[in-house]
Amino acid sequence: MEPITYEPIGEIRSPFEDPSEVPVDPDEPSGAAGRVELEPEYEPGLDGLDGFSHVTILAHLHRSPADALRAHPPFAEGLEVGVFATASPNRPNPIAQTVVRLEAIEGSTLHVDGLDLLDGTPVLDLKPFAPKPSLLEELETGWIGEHLDQEY
């Protein structure tokens, strides 16, 4: 296969400077406010996004070592699973997918809440968060649902 190259469309501005500061609780949003600052030429692409309450951010985890195929989820003590069964930032292609609350749009800047990305994280794409209702009815959360009540 040939390599794939993407150019960032913007970057994250968040209160998290170090990976150890980023919240990992899958059951609770981080509560961290911040911004998605897009390059000005992408502003027309935001038209219509203001009608959505949440936005999916696809980002490049620029500080991830990207070298593991197994992971130890922090909220599931003693459990080891394949990295593709987790949201671990340490994966073969360090791509993040996260959903945040959209508070406001000013020009090419999105003001968001619930960030779990480092300050300076390159943004690859944005999409409105609009899950298909039929999928929600069939949703199963695997090992995550079994460990949500654990303290960590």
Side-chain angles (χ1 to χ4, degrees):
M1 286 188 270
E2 301 223 5
I4 301 167
T5 304
Y6 292 103
E7 292 293 325
I9 62 171
E11 67 182 4
I12 297 296
R13 291 291 166 223
S14 87
F16 308 118
E17 297 287 335
D18 189 85
S20 66
E21 299 171 350
V22 178
V24 294
D25 187 343
D27 196 33
E28 291 292 325
S30 73
R35 298 181 313 278
V36 179
E37 295 180 348
L38 298 183
E39 295 297 326
E41 65 263 29
Y42 295 107
E43 184 177 340
L46 297 174
D47 186 33
L49 189 61
D50 58 350
F52 291 86
S53 64
H54 290 75
V55 175
T56 300
I57 301 171
L58 298 174
H60 172 71
L61 299 172
H62 63 300
R63 293 186 46 197
S64 172
D67 63 0
L69 292 177
R70 306 288 297 167
H72 298 273
F75 55 91
E77 188 174 332
L79 182 68
E80 180 181 55
V81 295
V83 70
F84 301 129
T86 73
S88 170
N90 190 8
R91 45 199 327 110
N93 288 307
I95 299 169
Q97 174 184 321
T98 191
V99 176
V100 295
R101 173 171 277 289
L102 178 60
E103 299 293 340
I105 300 174
E106 291 180 7
S108 60
T109 298
L110 286 74
H111 296 270
V112 299
D113 190 49
L115 270 173
D116 58 357
L117 295 168
L118 292 176
D119 189 59
T121 298
V123 175
L124 302 175
D125 200 0
L126 300 172
K127 297 177 185 283
F129 181 71
K132 296 176 181 171
S134 62
L135 292 179
L136 292 177
E137 294 169 8
E138 302 171 3
L139 185 66
E140 294 184 28
T141 59
W143 65 266
I144 293 175
E146 298 168 11
H147 293 274
L148 287 179
D149 61 349
Q150 281 190 6
E151 296 291 323
Y152 61 98

